Amino acid sequence: MTGIGQAFSDGLLLPAICLAALGWVVPKLLALFWPEGVRPLIVLAFVAACLMMVAGMGFFVLLYWFQGFPVGSIFEAGIMPGVMYFLRLGSISALLWGPIMILSVAGLPKHWVKETW
């Protein structure tokens, strides 16, 4: 494997940067379609966190796959144990994207047109 796949799997720097960037971008993209207001902002933060959790799980699946680990072997015990394993890894990735996502969500009200903070 060469190129981006090897750079992605050999170190943790590129995946960490990608997750951090997604933590900034996901709330901004959701805000384009989300209504303004305090309650919708809280719901937006929850939805963004759920999406980032799924993205974190996906990143770990890709890391395992790029490194040549048979991802299917994790799911041999069943679907739920495999999902719970990657959910645990995805929740650990919140240490990377969580603070950045909070800053991104906190900056959204300054762009509101109809509502005031």
Side-chain angles (χ1 to χ4, degrees):
M1 177 184 335
T2 60
I4 191 75
Q6 188 165 0
F8 186 78
S9 67
D10 283 349
L12 291 177
L13 187 60
L14 184 60
I17 290 172
C18 290
L19 280 174
L22 274 176
W24 183 261
V25 170
V26 166
K28 300 280 187 188
L29 291 176
L30 287 175
L32 295 175
F33 307 102
W34 220 264
E36 297 176 357
V38 176
R39 285 188 183 154
L41 184 68
I42 293 169
V43 175
L44 181 142
F46 177 75
V47 170
C50 290
L51 288 173
M52 286 303 302
M53 185 69 70
V54 170
M57 291 170 65
F59 266 88
F60 279 103
V61 169
L62 286 175
L63 278 173
Y64 276 57
W65 184 63
F66 280 144
Q67 291 177 352
F69 187 81
V71 178
S73 67
I74 295 174
F75 292 98
E76 284 178 354
I79 296 292
M80 279 314 289
V83 169
M84 293 306 291
Y85 176 75
F86 284 112
L87 184 64
R88 197 172 328 119
L89 291 175
S91 63
I92 291 169
S93 73
L95 294 171
L96 295 171
W97 56 259
I100 295 171
M101 189 194 79
I102 290 170
L103 290 173
S104 180
V105 169
L108 292 175
K110 69 180 176 184
H111 300 290
W112 287 352
V113 177
K114 298 174 188 161
E115 297 285 331
T116 57
W117 180 251

